[in-house]
Amino acid sequence: MKRLKIEPSVARRFKLQHLLFALAALYLVFISVKFPQFLEIAKAMSGDDGYVGLDLAKVQDSQDGDLSKPLFSSVYKDTFHRKLEDQSQDAPVRPSKEPLEEKKSESKPIRPLQHRYGRITGEILRQRNRTNELSVLERMADEAWTLGLNAWEEVDKHDGKETGESSILEGKPESCPSWLSMSGEELAMGDKLMFLPCGLAAGSSVTVVGTSHYAHQEYVPQLAKLRRGDGIVMVSQFMVELQGLKSVDGEDPPKILHLNPRLKGDWSHRPVIEHNTCYRMQWGSAQRCDGLPSKNNEDILVDGYGRCEKWMRNDMVDSKESKTKTTSWFKRFIGREQKPEVTWPFPFTEGRLFILTIRAGVDGFHISVGGRHVTSFPYRTGFTLEDATGLAIKGDVDVHSVYATSLPTSHPSFSPQRVLEMSDKWKARPLPKSPVRLFIGVLSATNHFAERMAVRKTWMQSSVIKSSDVLVRFFVALNPRKEVNAVLKKEAAYFGDIVILPFMDRYELVVLKTISICEFGVQNVTAAYIMKCDDDTFVRVDTVLKEIEGISSKKSLYMGNLNLLHRPLRSGKWAVTYEEWPEEVYPPYANGPGYIISIDIAKFVISQHGSRSLRLFKMEDVSMGMWVEQFNSSMATVQYSHNWKFCQYGCMENYYTAHYQSPRQMICLWDKLARGRVQCCNFR
């Protein structure tokens, strides 16, 4: 019998495979001991039908009420920009003793901490003794409820004639000045923000007269890692931004234009001017001008201007310029006319005065310094000139004066009343008396009228919604401006699809809206499943229903784009303190732009909330993951269903939901679906 001969390379590969399998097995053993709940999740994700979830004890539903009345892309990675914008806080100190201690030999469900989390509704807070210790989140919610209830009383008493918002409701144009000016002192007193009441129009211009600061030292931790401890850089930069209206406290306003001259450049030490836009705190792709001229192709010109002009750079020799010098004598000799070419230095200098002008053209913004064109930035879809109602200037600059000219004297956007007069077909149907398959709660803000209209005109026209198999409602909290709340109330009364929550809207309190969605789905409609999404999320409702139907109806369901073993950020703008979240990792949770839970989980959330034992966290999607994990550990086994097609950022082919979609993108996606094409509209 011949011995099988194995090549040495094959043998080595075989041994390597065995080693990898052994390591994988050891890793699985470690996971099963350290995190036994993840094996259950993995089994649930595999679609194993070998177990059936237990039914939750039914929670008594209240009678149907009219809840139109109050019921209760990427990461921008530039270090210098983050330093200037965010003013990152120091990382919180880890406590010597963990607030929640778990034995290594067993896994316990996350339990609410006494006097730290949860129990936040208006009624519950009114019942509590205000002298008790409240967490930061509870105090924030308490204040929001108090301000919100007062604001709603103001709306109820308000007749619309005192401040002139009746003209807004009736579609009469608002009168605005054609020019504005402001001194540097006035700008500083107004938080370095200039209000442009009717936005901009083609031909409008904004001129800033200022002086750039001399460079100063800054420490950049990321750079220190690359340079082995040397993270000191010289920085001199400022920003001029055209901003939209702020929708929610804690959420930055949209940036229609972000102009960022960096006199010392970034890590390259070369001066650069960066342009960008930001929507829902998600930055677009940056246009950077670093002294090299852009190509003059017709398709990239902006109103005939190049996007980036040329300026002098010390790090490069212009071969074209040297060639011109050697041949210029010959052209002069034969009498051929030669057009002189002048290269200017970088337009901003430390400690020197500058005059910067931003002009709104037909196709984009044009930036000039000292009367010379420097850069142009094309408009991005989804950002309109009339939305540019604020001019913000911040950074290493002293502003002497600001002038805005050729401004529109009326706001060109249509008012809600103009839509109301001709769009009866967008009205919502009354609450159905029969059960529905899916209830969708959409988080929105008071002045997101355009986003809500885009949803009404697109995926809310799906056949399953028109046939009352699926019900959709917007959940909106109040705005500090009473005229904005008055417009919202009129919109809600007409369309019948808005649930107004009488607390002051804050980014940190989005979790209260999620509880309201669960409460509405349990107490006002009879739905098998509840979906939560945002007003910039496009939902393929038919496809989502088919995905739900693929799971046994006997199981409790948690469906979405799931995250496992995600860790909280302990530093930066989105830092989470140990008091807010003591654990090292988050529970498995679905991304917030779109996820589905079964009705028994929603009933559990409402029951825990009513008994004041529901733990809350400022990130609503993590909160839902925490509640589902608690339900999975104490009540019934949950089927965790993961799919990447519930998109967290943007859109992907054959998506179930697409996020960060502007109103125009919504219309585009709907038009493509009508033609049978499940494709993205990747523009802003």
Side-chain angles (χ1 to χ4, degrees):
M1 182 174 176
K2 288 185 178 181
R3 174 179 283 180
L4 181 64
K5 185 176 181 180
I6 302 176
E7 294 291 333
S9 61
V10 177
R12 286 194 299 270
R13 194 181 311 140
F14 185 72
K15 289 180 180 179
L16 181 59
Q17 288 177 347
H18 270 273
L19 179 61
L20 291 174
F21 282 130
L23 290 174
L26 287 173
Y27 179 73
L28 287 175
V29 170
F30 169 76
I31 289 294
S32 64
V33 173
K34 189 71 175 175
F35 305 105
Q37 65 269 32
F38 292 136
L39 291 183
E40 298 177 10
I41 296 169
K43 182 179 179 183
M45 286 183 179
S46 67
D48 185 6
D49 291 338
Y51 57 89
V52 177
L54 301 175
D55 290 335
L56 174 66
K58 294 183 178 180
V59 180
Q60 183 177 0
D61 294 346
S62 66
Q63 296 181 355
D64 291 350
D66 180 11
L67 287 201
S68 292
K69 299 177 180 178
L71 168 69
F72 105 67
S73 56
S74 60
V75 181
Y76 194 66
K77 297 180 179 178
D78 185 85
T79 305
F80 298 118
H81 183 277
R82 283 176 171 270
K83 184 78 174 177
L84 186 63
E85 276 257 299
D86 303 340
Q87 296 296 319
S88 300
Q89 302 173 354
D90 294 333
V93 179
R94 180 190 176 94
S96 57
K97 185 177 180 181
E98 285 290 340
L100 288 184
E101 215 169 356
E102 295 188 75
K103 296 180 181 179
K104 294 183 179 179
S105 59
E106 58 181 349
S107 175
K108 295 182 180 179
I110 297 176
R111 300 186 184 280
L113 298 181
Q114 190 68 18
H115 302 306
R116 284 186 182 271
Y117 302 91
R119 310 172 310 281
I120 304 178
T121 62
E123 187 61 32
I124 290 172
L125 279 172
R126 282 193 292 271
Q127 293 172 0
R128 290 196 56 180
N129 185 350
R130 297 302 179 89
T131 61
N132 288 350
E133 180 186 357
L134 296 177
S135 70
V136 174
L137 189 61
E138 286 177 321
R139 288 196 298 270
M140 189 181 297
D142 186 18
E143 180 185 2
W145 274 100
T146 302
L147 294 174
L149 291 173
N150 292 337
W152 188 252
E153 290 177 2
E154 287 284 328
V155 173
D156 274 342
K157 291 189 247 180
H158 193 55
D159 62 2
K161 295 180 181 179
E162 298 173 7
T163 57
E165 73 272 13
S166 59
S167 63
I168 300 175
L169 297 175
E170 294 169 6
K172 297 178 182 178
E174 183 181 359
S175 178
C176 297
S178 61
W179 63 273
L180 292 168
S181 65
M182 185 175 285
S183 66
E185 292 79 10
E186 292 171 332
L187 188 71
M189 291 174 59
D191 295 329
K192 297 185 178 180
L193 184 69
M194 181 180 188
F195 182 52
L196 308 172
C198 286
L200 301 176
S204 299
S205 64
V206 175
T207 299
V208 179
V209 181
T211 301
S212 305
H213 290 180
Y214 286 96
H216 61 278
Q217 288 186 344
E218 281 191 8
Y219 177 75
V220 182
Q222 294 90 333
L223 191 58
K225 294 178 182 178
L226 297 175
R227 294 180 174 177
R228 297 181 180 179
D230 181 16
I232 301 297
V233 292
M234 299 301 293
V235 177
S236 177
Q237 65 164 344
F238 62 92
M239 291 183 296
V240 179
E241 292 180 342
L242 292 170
Q243 300 179 349
L245 286 175
K246 189 174 184 177
S247 303
V248 180
D249 283 346
E251 180 178 290
D252 293 336
K255 296 172 175 57
I256 289 94
L257 171 66
H258 166 82
L259 179 67
N260 180 202
R262 304 173 187 173
L263 281 65
K264 288 293 184 181
D266 35 39
W267 296 356
S268 66
H269 300 290
R270 289 192 295 268
V272 66
I273 300 176
E274 183 158 302
H275 316 69
N276 210 337
T277 54
C278 184
Y279 179 72
R280 294 288 178 87
M281 295 190 289
Q282 295 297 316
W283 290 93
S285 57
Q287 174 186 306
R288 293 167 58 89
C289 296
D290 57 2
L292 296 177
S294 58
K295 296 180 180 179
N296 288 328
N297 298 340
E298 282 295 327
D299 55 342
I300 65 173
L301 291 177
V302 183
D303 295 326
Y305 290 94
R307 300 192 181 192
C308 298
E309 298 290 352
K310 179 181 176 182
W311 59 69
M312 293 179 186
R313 286 177 40 151
N314 297 328
D315 62 326
M316 107 185 188
V317 177
D318 194 337
S319 59
K320 181 180 177 182
E321 184 177 348
S322 61
K323 183 179 179 181
T324 301
K325 289 180 179 179
T326 58
T327 59
S328 61
W329 66 270
F330 180 72
K331 291 185 177 180
R332 289 198 302 270
F333 178 75
I334 63 175
R336 182 177 298 173
E337 183 180 355
Q338 181 182 3
K339 182 179 180 181
E341 182 176 340
V342 180
T343 302
W344 299 89
F346 186 69
F348 301 98
T349 305
E350 297 173 62
R352 290 197 178 180
L353 186 79
F354 65 83
I355 301 176
L356 167 69
T357 300
I358 302 173
R359 183 174 60 85
V362 175
D363 297 326
F365 294 104
H366 305 289
I367 293 89
S368 301
V369 180
R372 182 175 63 87
H373 176 259
V374 177
T375 64
S376 290
F377 183 60
Y379 299 136
R380 289 183 174 173
T381 307
F383 298 90
T384 57
L385 287 173
E386 58 264 26
D387 291 337
T389 53
L391 174 71
I393 306 172
K394 47 190 173 180
D396 302 324
V397 62
D398 290 326
V399 178
H400 307 305
S401 57
V402 183
Y403 304 92
T405 59
S406 300
L407 300 176
T409 55
S410 62
H411 201 285
S413 295
F414 53 80
S415 69
Q417 179 62 29
R418 295 183 187 177
V419 179
L420 305 186
E421 290 174 350
M422 54 181 169
S423 57
D424 287 351
K425 61 181 178 180
W426 311 130
K427 286 185 177 181
R429 296 189 177 189
L431 293 180
K433 296 182 179 179
S434 58
V436 298
R437 296 157 68 188
L438 177 66
F439 169 63
I440 304 178
V442 183
L443 301 192
S444 189
T446 47
N447 61 350
H448 284 190
F449 177 74
E451 285 84 350
R452 287 190 291 275
M453 281 308 305
V455 172
R456 290 176 182 125
K457 293 179 179 180
T458 57
W459 60 266
M460 274 183 70
Q461 298 302 308
S462 301
S463 58
V464 288
I465 295 178
K466 303 296 283 184
S467 63
S468 297
D469 282 346
V470 177
L471 183 71
V472 183
R473 289 293 184 268
F474 297 99
F475 287 76
V476 187
L478 296 177
N479 190 283
R481 297 173 57 191
K482 62 182 178 181
E483 61 270 19
V484 175
N485 295 330
V487 173
L488 175 68
K489 182 180 179 183
K490 190 172 184 71
E491 179 190 347
Y494 183 85
F495 288 107
D497 58 6
I498 297 178
V499 179
I500 299 178
L501 308 174
F503 63 85
M504 205 61 69
D505 212 348
R506 288 189 63 91
Y507 185 75
E508 297 89 346
L509 299 180
V510 174
V511 64
L512 298 184
K513 295 182 181 180
T514 303
I515 295 175
S516 301
I517 290 174
C518 293
E519 188 173 354
F520 192 95
V522 168
Q523 297 181 354
N524 292 76
V525 295
T526 305
Y529 299 93
I530 294 176
M531 179 177 186
K532 176 263 166 182
C533 68
D534 299 333
D535 62 9
D536 59 348
T537 300
F538 187 93
V539 183
R540 291 176 61 203
V541 185
D542 297 342
T543 306
V544 170
L545 279 178
K546 289 179 182 177
E547 189 73 6
I548 294 173
E549 290 169 355
I551 307 295
S552 172
S553 60
K554 297 179 181 180
K555 292 181 180 179
S556 304
L557 177 64
Y558 184 34
M559 175 182 287
N561 188 342
L562 296 174
N563 299 283
L564 300 180
L565 296 174
H566 272 214
R567 293 178 175 271
L569 297 174
R570 298 301 188 186
S571 62
K573 185 172 183 177
W574 311 113
V576 174
T577 65
Y578 280 98
E579 182 184 10
E580 292 173 318
W581 189 266
E583 293 86 358
E584 287 299 321
V585 297
Y586 290 134
Y589 70 94
N591 289 323
Y595 60 78
I596 299 103
I597 59 173
S598 51
I599 192 64
D600 52 352
I601 296 176
K603 289 181 178 179
F604 172 78
V605 171
I606 298 306
S607 175
Q608 292 292 105
H609 185 58
S611 63
R612 308 181 192 179
S613 58
L614 188 69
R615 176 180 169 184
L616 296 188
F617 181 53
K618 63 184 179 182
M619 297 169 63
E620 69 85 19
D621 47 4
V622 175
S623 290
M624 180 56 72
M626 175 175 56
W627 303 333
V628 172
E629 185 180 63
Q630 188 176 356
F631 177 86
N632 186 51
S633 303
S634 61
M635 302 298 297
T637 304
V638 176
Q639 170 79 53
Y640 285 74
S641 179
H642 166 73
N643 200 307
W644 292 106
K645 293 181 180 179
F646 291 95
C647 298
Q648 165 72 350
Y649 298 107
C651 176
M652 64 184 297
E653 294 300 307
N654 297 314
Y655 62 90
Y656 293 167
T657 63
H659 191 216
Y660 295 128
Q661 302 300 294
S662 68
R664 296 187 187 184
Q665 285 175 307
M666 291 269 197
I667 300 296
C668 174
L669 291 173
W670 184 247
D671 289 342
K672 288 189 175 184
L673 276 184
R675 296 194 295 269
R677 291 157 47 192
V678 187
Q679 296 175 338
C680 302
C681 299
N682 291 322
F683 55 77
R684 266 250 67 85

